[in-house]
Amino acid sequence: MVDVGGTTLRVGRYEEDGQCLARVIRTPLDGLGRYPDAPAAVLQRRVLTQVAQTVESYLGSPAGEGASAVGTAFAGPVTADGVVTAAPTVWGGGGSAVEVEAWLRRRLAMPTHVVNDMTASVWRYACPGSADADFCLITVSSGIGNKVYRDGVVLVDRSGAGGEMGHWPADPTAEDVVCDCGGRGHLGAIASGRGILRAARLAGGRDPRAFRDSLLGEWFAADPAMLTNEDLVRAIRSGDDFALSVLRAALRPLAQAIAAVHSAIGIGRYVIIGGFATAVGERFAHHLGDQLAGFGCFGLSDDQARSMIEMGAPDDDHALIGMGRMLSQVSPAIDRQGVRHACPGRG
């Protein structure tokens, strides 16, 4: 299984007998995060070459011996036939659509399937027939994405549309908040890990006294530009007022988006995953729940609104495990973007 994320490339083996993941390798992705000034076309070539070479190396090692197929989860809209139509967190805005599935199948000379990373991740948590079967999975990492699972189906059409919550224009007036896709004021530019770090640096510049008095100021003197996501997460987990105020402000538009989904289609369970959210931990769910209660959800008490938010498993294996479960139980001939199947268990 392969997971092409905005920051990290992950490759692992899914053990069908135990429905578990084994022998995972992780490496920084040769994409926008490492080469922010490179054109999209250049990053596309770099990323695809890196993916192919990494998978070939893995398949040629003892870890990959006997593999029967390669499933690839990709961070961006993916059509039913494996065409990646956009990948802002991977190669930025622009760039043509890429037939990733067909290209990898030719290169690797074995069955290969490509779906959106959130579509794959859903199958880690999907369990049709249970009391909490329907849910919305949301990732807060380099960017923000989501998928809704309802009645045994991932809600996405064959063009790959659906689940791009991060590109909702949460604040169209925020001209200086530029998304990786080039749009202004998108949710992903505000409430993702990259967006929250940017907000913390700006807040430190606007209010140097508050920054100096915070744990972050203690660690970095008067230079908020030195902040990293790791430092910001550490301050949030330590209960630092400055860091928490930045987090709460960033979570308001995410809470608004969740309230809109709930009002529109009645989904009452929201599972949060992604590197930044997972690093913050339960505090993330707590503060997001508070923001959601503050806005109010039609027909729900504040406590009921808060209870809709839960954290996913505290790791970054969602897409790898989900992809393995999906391919092990769903015929590749069926539309892989949303299909009914027996409960694969919960991760």
Side-chain angles (χ1 to χ4, degrees):
M1 300 301 116
V2 183
D3 179 13
V4 183
T7 304
T8 305
L9 171 63
R10 304 171 185 87
V11 180
R13 185 184 185 103
Y14 181 75
E15 304 287 357
E16 188 172 349
D17 291 344
Q19 292 198 3
C20 61
L21 197 64
R23 298 166 244 181
V24 179
I25 61 170
R26 296 170 173 82
T27 187
L29 186 75
D30 287 345
L32 186 67
R34 295 190 73 186
Y35 305 101
D37 298 322
V42 171
L43 294 179
Q44 286 176 327
R45 288 194 296 273
R46 280 181 174 167
V47 168
L48 290 179
T49 299
Q50 181 189 22
V51 170
Q53 291 176 344
T54 303
V55 173
E56 286 169 338
S57 176
Y58 190 93
L59 291 173
S61 72
E65 186 177 351
S68 59
V70 175
T72 300
F74 210 98
V78 181
T79 68
D81 52 356
V83 177
V84 177
T85 61
T89 61
V90 176
W91 52 61
S96 58
V98 181
E99 296 180 349
V100 176
E101 181 171 296
W103 188 86
L104 285 176
R105 186 176 292 142
R106 289 192 299 270
R107 173 79 179 247
L108 302 176
M110 67 187 305
T112 304
H113 312 286
V114 177
V115 301
N116 169 264
D117 58 345
M118 291 297 288
T119 296
S121 297
V122 159
W123 300 108
R124 183 181 190 181
Y125 297 93
C127 190
S130 70
D132 57 355
D134 300 343
F135 65 98
C136 177
L137 186 68
I138 299 174
T139 183
V140 181
S141 189
S142 304
I144 290 179
N146 76 292
K147 282 292 185 289
V148 171
Y149 176 87
R150 185 161 220 168
D151 295 333
V153 174
V154 181
L155 302 185
V156 58
D157 71 17
R158 292 184 62 83
S159 73
E164 296 297 332
M165 181 184 285
H167 299 292
W168 167 56
D171 184 2
T173 67
E175 287 293 315
D176 60 334
V177 181
V178 183
C179 182
D180 290 334
C181 73
R184 308 278 174 168
H186 287 188
L187 179 63
I190 298 170
S192 68
R194 288 177 182 171
I196 296 173
L197 176 61
R198 177 183 177 281
R201 290 171 173 170
L202 289 174
R206 285 194 303 265
D207 192 346
R209 175 175 292 182
F211 181 78
R212 282 196 304 269
D213 291 343
S214 71
L215 285 176
L216 295 170
E218 238 178 75
W219 299 335
F220 296 101
D223 190 1
M226 296 292 292
L227 289 180
T228 66
N229 273 124
E230 289 76 13
D231 304 315
L232 183 57
V233 165
R234 186 155 58 110
I236 291 170
R237 291 174 64 95
S238 299
D240 179 70
D241 288 340
F242 177 85
L244 285 172
S245 69
V246 171
L247 176 67
R248 285 192 289 264
L251 291 184
R252 287 186 197 116
L254 178 56
Q256 280 183 299
I258 291 172
V261 172
H262 176 264
S263 299
I265 60 176
I267 294 294
R269 178 180 171 223
Y270 297 82
V271 181
I272 310 298
I273 62 172
F276 183 84
T278 298
V280 173
E282 287 299 328
R283 282 182 180 269
F284 191 95
H286 172 77
H287 289 291
L288 180 56
D290 279 351
Q291 294 297 323
L292 191 58
F295 284 117
C297 287
F298 182 71
L300 299 183
S301 68
D302 287 354
D303 285 344
Q304 287 173 322
R306 290 188 183 94
S307 70
M308 292 198 298
I309 307 298
E310 65 180 77
M311 298 300 296
D315 57 44
D316 61 355
D317 297 332
H318 314 283
L320 295 175
I321 292 174
M323 191 80 192
R325 290 183 176 176
M326 185 179 73
L327 291 183
S328 69
Q329 299 186 47
V330 180
S331 167
I334 298 174
D335 179 359
R336 298 183 305 279
Q337 298 290 0
V339 1
R340 299 178 183 276
H341 65 91
C343 176
R346 297 279 296 280

